[in-house]
Amino acid sequence: MQMNPDKDTQLCMSLSGRPGNFGLRFHNHLYEQLGLNFYYKAFSSRDLPGAVRGIRALGIRGCGVSMPFKEDCIALVDELDASARAIASINTIVNTDGHLKAYNTDYIAVARLLAEHAVPRESTFALRGSGGMAKAVASALRDGGYARGVIVARNEVAGRALASSLGYEWQAELGSLRPQMLINVTPIGMSGGPEAQQLAFDAEAIAAADRVFDVVAVPPQTPLILRAQAEGKPVITGLEVIAIQALEQFVLYTGVRPSEEQFQKAVAFARA
């Protein structure tokens, strides 16, 4: 990837507990293809307030926010877009002359994927997770007309709160429940984590489901996705989510919307 930075180069970044290369490659590829004087870098930090102060102080144009920072960042920004305010979770910060405004493009990505994959609205589902990303996914389901769902979360306080806020039930474990769609919104199956080789749902539940949705993007084929594919189930992957949300972030940072062809080429480059 060729880059010729100068004093006017706009910096963008991401903050994640486990940084990956997808966003870096996706954004920088599009910057180069569209002739934009931007550069993108992935970071992690144990000092979240300090990192956000750095965004403001250094004039960093945009920041993608991933697990586990999606909720903790809220108190550190100046303004919430409606997409973030409605679900109390953010994944994007845009810096305009020191004013930090936060958005949630995860919600947009999930809503689009449910439509593109033609998931029947009458489907029952179980969503494992209760954090910021879980809020985005569950809110997109609720707003899309998916009324027959349960939130599965070991954290009873967070799980019950998420479920009750959206009109769903809560369970600590899936148990004997056999929903038509299984959705993982936890780090289970994520590369580099303690549960990287584990399934987010048991084998019997996967076999009984009609489809599986895993928001974990690294690796692109998690143990859950691999098991579902082996069972012949349709899947929605975290790679699809991260690609669409990254596109919407790109537009917020630059004001430029790539063509569909440019978008698909950037996704292919980022995956390579």
Side-chain angles (χ1 to χ4, degrees):
M1 181 180 297
Q2 184 178 2
M3 184 188 177
N4 296 299
D6 57 33
K7 64 181 180 63
D8 297 317
T9 299
Q10 292 281 296
L11 296 179
C12 292
M13 60 177 280
S14 62
L15 277 172
S16 173
R18 297 175 193 154
N21 286 321
F22 182 91
L24 183 152
R25 291 173 62 84
F26 178 90
H27 285 271
N28 285 328
H29 178 80
L30 283 175
Y31 298 153
E32 182 181 1
Q33 295 305 305
L34 296 171
L36 301 175
N37 193 10
F38 280 73
Y39 186 72
Y40 190 101
K41 178 73 172 68
F43 292 96
S44 185
S45 177
R46 295 184 179 180
D47 180 6
L48 183 61
V52 176
R53 286 196 299 271
I55 293 169
R56 193 192 308 271
L58 298 174
I60 293 170
R61 171 58 177 165
C63 178
V65 180
S66 298
M67 292 188 290
F69 305 126
K70 292 173 182 285
E71 294 170 296
D72 292 343
C73 267
I74 290 175
L76 304 174
V77 300
D78 302 309
E79 182 182 357
L80 297 180
D81 178 72
S83 62
R85 186 170 58 251
I87 60 177
S89 175
I90 72 175
N91 80 322
T92 305
I93 299 171
V94 177
N95 180 6
T96 304
D97 298 325
H99 181 86
L100 304 185
K101 184 172 181 179
Y103 300 77
N104 195 306
T105 65
D106 290 327
Y107 174 97
I108 297 169
V110 172
R112 175 171 159 180
L113 286 168
L114 291 169
E116 288 182 353
H117 285 265
V119 180
R121 287 184 173 85
E122 63 273 15
S123 297
T124 59
F125 72 86
L127 183 153
R128 181 178 291 279
S130 59
M133 184 64 179
K135 288 181 180 180
V137 176
S139 297
L141 286 160
R142 188 271 315 272
D143 294 346
Y146 298 86
R148 303 168 61 197
V150 60
I151 303 299
V152 178
R154 295 170 190 170
N155 184 325
E156 181 174 354
V157 173
R160 283 190 182 277
L162 176 58
S164 63
S165 70
L166 297 172
Y168 295 130
E169 299 296 321
W170 166 82
Q171 293 182 190
E173 298 292 344
L174 186 66
S176 61
L177 197 65
R178 294 294 179 261
Q180 293 166 302
M181 178 164 57
L182 297 172
I183 309 168
N184 177 45
V185 199
T186 75
I188 297 174
M190 183 181 292
S191 292
E195 300 171 295
Q197 303 304 317
Q198 295 184 22
L199 289 170
F201 297 96
D202 64 60
E204 290 184 3
I206 298 169
D210 291 340
R211 69 184 68 239
V212 168
F213 182 1
D214 195 344
V215 303
V216 173
V218 181
Q221 291 184 303
T222 62
L224 177 59
I225 291 296
L226 288 171
R227 184 58 180 258
Q229 289 174 328
E231 294 278 357
K233 310 294 182 180
V235 298
I236 304 174
T237 70
L239 180 63
E240 295 175 88
V241 176
I242 198 173
I244 296 173
Q245 67 83 24
L247 171 65
E248 298 305 322
Q249 288 178 330
F250 181 91
V251 175
L252 286 169
Y253 300 158
T254 67
V256 176
R257 182 170 291 278
S259 68
E260 181 64 21
E261 180 181 4
Q262 290 167 334
F263 168 60
Q264 293 299 338
K265 286 183 177 179
V267 172
F269 179 81
R271 289 187 63 183

